[in-house]
Amino acid sequence: SLAFLSTSKQLSRTLLSVPSCLKMSDASVSADINSDNPKELYEKAEEYWTNATRDDDGMLGGFAHLHKPDITQSRSFLTGLHKKGFLRNNDYAIDCGAGIGRVTKHLLLPAFKKVDMVELVKELVEKSDSYIGSHPSMAEKFVSGLQDFDPEPARYDLIWIQWVSGHLTNADFVEFFKRCQVGVRENGLICLKDNLSSSSEPLFDDEDHSWTRPESLITNLLSQSGLTIVASEPQRLFPKDMYPVKMFAMKPTSSVTKIQAKTNLTTMI
């Protein structure tokens, strides 16, 4: 069942709707980021994204003008990861929380030989057919929430997760990134692009039912997942009254330890 919230599109909106992200949560829905039973919360988020307009503006929460600087810097970030040797191959990528395929179409398909999508809302996946069009590199489209998605082992060179992790509770965040480690290839990367809160606590948005986490919490959860950040970069050229956005590139800590042992590196960041 579609028990989760729409991935990439959801996060995008949270990132872009600054004032609304600071509102108090709906008293009828638990805003507990450590909830053991977030089913109702996930359903509310899914409802929000099901009603979103199926275009770039809808996927970006009414901020379609941020599409170009977003894609431009993400592309530059990936290029840098290739040059540094962190991302060795460009055979297979997946866009997590893909929505109608904005990131798939403009960032991943031009760079990878095959690309999958995973998105919770079936109607958005259906819209991606016309939005992306016929493309020889477009592979599978999975309809699933990230709290349920289980990548095939060693399938991807790149797992890209943008503006969607804020819909996961802390426990589901950790478990999802653990599964991503299984799905990424030996020389591959897991990349997260997300909003950051300047508060010491996660901020809940009662409109799309997501959280904006402080960077310290994100890095702590990634560490709990068994991942090491090998590179990071803040998003530039976004309006200053919006949440800061940052990209993180991660590898399984076990593989980083092996690389460091071979190269005598004390840090990879």
Side-chain angles (χ1 to χ4, degrees):
S1 64
L2 306 185
F4 186 52
L5 31 92
S6 173
T7 40
S8 86
K9 41 187 185 342
Q10 313 159 301
L11 213 210
S12 322
R13 294 190 172 160
T14 303
L15 124 88
L16 304 170
S17 54
V18 181
S20 66
C21 292
L22 302 177
K23 295 187 298 184
M24 296 298 291
S25 62
D26 185 339
S28 66
V29 179
S30 171
D32 182 7
I33 199 168
N34 295 307
S35 173
D36 293 329
N37 185 23
K39 183 175 183 290
E40 184 182 9
L41 188 73
Y42 287 168
E43 289 174 347
K44 289 283 188 180
E46 179 180 354
E47 180 182 352
Y48 175 87
W49 289 105
T50 299
N51 293 323
T53 58
R54 292 159 200 168
D55 52 22
D56 285 348
D57 200 54
M59 298 301 95
L60 290 170
F63 292 82
H65 62 284
L66 296 184
H67 166 74
K68 184 175 180 180
D70 167 53
I71 294 297
T72 298
Q73 191 164 347
S74 294
R75 188 179 296 130
S76 174
F77 186 59
L78 287 182
T79 299
L81 294 171
H82 274 291
K83 289 181 178 178
K84 293 174 183 176
F86 292 140
L87 185 58
R88 302 274 184 90
N89 302 306
N90 66 336
D91 291 327
Y92 216 143
I94 183 169
D95 179 8
C96 296
I100 61 172
R102 185 186 69 88
V103 171
T104 297
K105 178 177 181 177
H106 298 283
L107 177 66
L108 300 180
L109 283 174
F112 289 84
K113 295 175 184 177
K114 291 180 72 176
V115 179
D116 287 348
M117 293 170 48
V118 55
E119 165 56 46
L120 172 66
V121 178
K122 182 180 179 181
E123 292 83 356
L124 295 176
V125 175
E126 292 172 346
K127 176 62 180 178
S128 73
D129 292 342
S130 60
Y131 178 83
I132 296 172
S134 177
H135 197 292
S137 297
M138 189 69 247
E140 295 194 58
K141 298 180 180 181
F142 303 102
V143 179
S144 174
L146 294 192
Q147 82 282 9
D148 297 319
F149 184 62
D150 197 359
E152 180 181 312
R155 182 181 179 98
Y156 301 110
D157 298 298
L158 176 69
I159 298 178
W160 186 270
I161 304 136
Q162 180 166 349
W163 288 331
V164 62
S165 70
H167 282 292
L168 294 170
T169 63
N170 285 342
D172 283 340
F173 181 109
V174 169
E175 292 305 311
F176 169 66
F177 278 93
K178 284 181 178 179
R179 295 193 299 273
C180 284
Q181 292 181 64
V182 177
V184 75
R185 293 174 177 173
E186 183 177 356
N187 294 315
L189 278 177
I190 301 165
C191 285
L192 171 66
K193 186 169 186 176
D194 219 321
N195 300 344
L196 301 176
S197 165
S198 58
S199 170
S200 61
E201 299 293 331
L203 298 176
F204 185 70
D205 182 349
D206 65 358
E207 184 177 6
D208 68 359
H209 295 84
S210 70
W211 295 276
T212 301
R213 292 178 170 95
E215 183 172 358
S216 59
L217 178 55
I218 289 177
T219 56
N220 179 272
L221 294 175
L222 292 173
S223 178
Q224 289 181 44
S225 304
L227 292 168
T228 292
I229 299 170
V230 298
S232 63
E233 182 176 296
Q235 172 70 44
R236 299 181 295 274
L237 303 178
F238 272 16
K240 293 183 179 179
D241 60 349
M242 292 183 172
Y243 283 127
V245 176
K246 195 167 186 177
M247 292 174 282
F248 303 88
M250 292 83 66
K251 285 181 177 290
T253 300
S254 57
S255 68
V256 172
T257 303
K258 291 177 183 178
I259 294 171
Q260 289 175 338
K262 290 180 180 179
T263 60
N264 295 318
L265 290 176
T266 56
T267 179
M268 296 182 66
I269 299 179

